[in-house]
Amino acid sequence: MPQVISIQPVTRIEGQARIDIHLDDAGQVADARLAIDALRGFEQFVIGRPAEEIPRIVSRICGICPWMHHLAAAKAIDCCFAATPPPAGQLLRELCHVLAHIHDKILHFFFLAAPDFIFEPNSDYSVRNLMGLVQRQPELAAEVVRMRQLGLAMLERIAGKATHPVAAVVGGFAKPMTEQERQGLLADGRVLLDFACRALDAAKKQVFVRFAEEETALGAIRTGFLGTVDDQGNLRFYQGRLRLMRPGGDTIDFAPSDYDRYLAERTEPWSTAKMVYARAWNEGFSLDLEAPRGVYRVNTLARINVCDRIATPLAQAELEAFRARFGRPAQGALLAHWARLIELVYACERVLELLADQRIAEPLVRTPAEPRAGRGCGQVEAPRGTLIHDFTTDDNGCIVRANLIVGTTHNIAPMNMSVHRAASTLIDGGRVDAALLNRIEMAVRAYDP
């Protein structure tokens, strides 16, 4: 008889979710869905608030990546009030944004994803976790903790606090950086870059070398991709244009403020999360595994697929090697982990570039701004993917409309497809065990939701 297998909760992810696998009478997968039950409500309860409060409020959306929401909102309110931050303010914002990427990537790869590769999938769940990693490789675990803490400490020195920040204000940044702070941060940035390069090299030799065809095919789907690039097509996290790539590789670039002309949002009766699809492709929306329509992915793999190059030398060399092996666009879901470490190297190199820019220590960090009616769209690349904050203000500078599309929202549709693919591939005749169910979870963890 038909039955439903539920994996609840999905483990080692940064949010909350469950997987429902629907089996038919023969024990074969009829459907598989990723269920997200949490209600956030930020789009509604910011209505009526003074716009200058929004960057502080929305940092509570996520305790893992508060900086991304903080900065996307700050950029949006800048536009509402027609305030352009001075160079030092822009550079300080980007520096904080990139540093936040560093500690997040360390967290996801080593704390959440690594146990799937360091231990066998059939290892007991009580061992296949962070504490198991600590016991098996204590020196590595200790260094990982130190490097993540270093990234957080750098943020605290710049902005006063690393979590739920308040440093980005309308028109710029709350305080300037001193030359002494800049020099100290440069030294710490070099330490992080050394770690990132060693981490990627070790992962290629010990983890990715075992990425046989079976592993790269787990949860594999064929979709398009979305990410941010600059005018030369270089990878960017903080500022740039959005690039939407079809599954075959054709691309179209557009301004973040035009996102609603190229992307569309919809809901499904079986999900509490809205889904986003490519309106620009004029093909509608479908989660059919063999012929999906309108589906694209964001996140690490998406970003290194859509960019033409990376403008820092070490990360560019790694991108070239990755593409020589997997092509462009690479479609394997688990390749997002490899892409994550390439981005870690880029982020560390970019930190050093930003700190080498003498303008970052200039005293003028903020442009005066006055409340006014307007619309502003702020967009950044969060670790989980493209993040869009869209606000409209009235004459008093209070919010009258808000729309947010977070990285995981873009990925709801492809995550459902990857879960369905993994379950269909692995389950036969209704036979399941803990190792098999963990492999289905791995298809979700690749998206870092």
Side-chain angles (χ1 to χ4, degrees), residues 56-69:
R56 300 192 296 274
I57 293 173
V58 297
S59 74
R60 268 66 180 178
I61 291 175
C62 178
I64 301 296
C65 54
W67 274 99
M68 289 69 191
H69 289 284

Side-chain angles (χ1 to χ4, degrees), residues 3 5 21-30 420-433 436-437 440:
Q3 62 173 310
I5 299 170
I21 304 168
H22 300 259
L23 303 184
D24 61 19
D25 290 337
Q28 302 302 110
V29 174
H420 194 172
R421 176 76 75 191
S424 299
T425 302
L426 296 170
I427 297 176
D428 183 32
R431 293 181 292 274
V432 299
D433 56 30
L436 183 151
L437 295 178
I440 295 173

Side-chain angles (χ1 to χ4, degrees), residues 301-331:
L301 183 62
R303 286 189 288 261
I304 72 166
N305 273 332
V306 303
C307 74
D308 295 326
R309 66 193 67 82
I310 300 177
T312 58
L314 298 177
Q316 173 63 17
E318 295 295 343
L319 176 64
E320 292 172 4
F322 180 90
R323 285 184 174 166
R325 180 169 177 178
F326 300 109
R328 179 192 183 196
Q331 293 282 357

Side-chain angles (χ1 to χ4, degrees), residues 117-436:
F117 305 106
I118 292 177
F119 301 95
E120 295 300 321
N122 58 357
S123 299
D124 189 88
Y125 69 88
S126 65
V127 175
R128 194 183 60 240
N129 53 42
L130 173 61
M131 295 312 298
L133 175 63
V134 170
Q135 293 172 1
R136 176 170 289 193
Q137 299 192 29
E139 293 183 2
L140 170 63
E143 184 175 25
V144 166
V145 170
R146 287 196 303 271
M147 291 301 101
R148 183 166 185 264
Q149 178 58 34
L150 177 59
L152 289 166
M154 292 171 72
L155 273 171
E156 288 180 356
R157 280 148 55 194
I158 299 166
K161 56 192 302 190
T163 305
H164 304 320
V166 295
V169 293
V170 180
F173 207 74
K175 72 178 187 69
M177 173 184 289
T178 68
E179 180 60 22
Q180 183 179 3
E181 287 174 334
R182 188 178 76 87
Q183 293 299 329
L185 291 164
L186 272 169
D188 288 341
R190 296 185 188 103
V191 173
L192 286 173
L193 177 58
D194 176 70
F195 168 77
C197 292
R198 287 187 290 108
L200 177 53
D201 186 59
K204 288 192 295 184
K205 293 176 180 177
Q206 300 174 29
V207 176
F208 301 147
V209 71
R210 304 203 311 268
F211 265 26
E213 183 177 346
E214 178 186 1
E215 292 294 336
T216 55
L218 179 67
I221 54 177
R222 190 171 187 270
T223 70
F225 298 94
L226 177 73
T228 302
V229 298
D230 65 15
D231 291 340
Q232 288 74 47
N234 296 308
L235 171 68
R236 281 289 179 262
F237 286 166
Y238 180 72
Q239 194 87 343
R241 297 176 60 80
L242 288 175
R243 174 170 289 177
L244 182 63
M245 173 181 278
R246 285 183 176 270
D250 294 338
T251 64
I252 182 171
D253 293 3
F254 56 95
S257 58
D258 293 333
Y259 76 93
D260 51 355
R261 292 175 50 200
Y262 295 85
L263 310 176
E265 302 170 61
R266 60 177 288 132
T267 58
E268 294 290 338
W270 46 266
S271 176
T272 59
K274 64 183 179 182
M275 301 186 190
V276 193
Y277 65 97
R279 183 201 299 272
W281 295 345
N282 296 314
E283 60 186 25
F285 175 78
S286 170
L287 295 178
D288 186 296
L289 289 180
E290 305 308 322
R293 297 196 305 273
V295 180
Y296 63 87
R297 281 176 270 179
V298 298
N299 207 306
T300 57
L301 183 62
R303 286 189 288 261
I304 72 166
N305 273 332
V306 303
C307 74
D308 295 326
R309 66 193 67 82
I310 300 177
T312 58
L314 298 177
Q316 173 63 17
E318 295 295 343
L319 176 64
E320 292 172 4
F322 180 90
R323 285 184 174 166
R325 180 169 177 178
F326 300 109
R328 179 192 183 196
Q331 293 282 357
L334 294 193
L335 293 176
H337 297 303
W338 196 324
R340 188 164 288 112
L341 291 188
I342 294 175
E343 284 197 339
L344 176 60
V345 173
Y346 162 71
C348 294
E349 289 185 287
R350 182 60 180 158
V351 162
L352 295 179
E353 285 185 343
L354 291 165
L355 288 167
D357 190 330
Q358 298 285 343
R359 296 176 301 168
I360 201 169
E362 290 177 352
L364 180 62
V365 294
R366 184 180 184 185
T367 299
E370 293 291 334
R372 48 167 271 181
R375 181 198 172 198
C377 181
Q379 178 268 325
V380 299
E381 288 293 328
R384 272 140 293 284
T386 305
L387 171 62
I388 298 170
H389 281 232
D390 182 2
F391 300 109
T392 302
T393 55
D394 61 17
D395 290 338
N396 295 317
C398 294
I399 302 296
V400 295
R401 177 185 172 275
N403 188 48
L404 310 180
I405 304 179
V406 305
T408 297
T409 303
H410 294 281
N411 277 336
I412 294 294
M415 280 195 292
N416 273 276
M417 291 177 61
S418 284
V419 165
H420 194 172
R421 176 76 75 191
S424 299
T425 302
L426 296 170
I427 297 176
D428 183 32
R431 293 181 292 274
V432 299
D433 56 30
L436 183 151

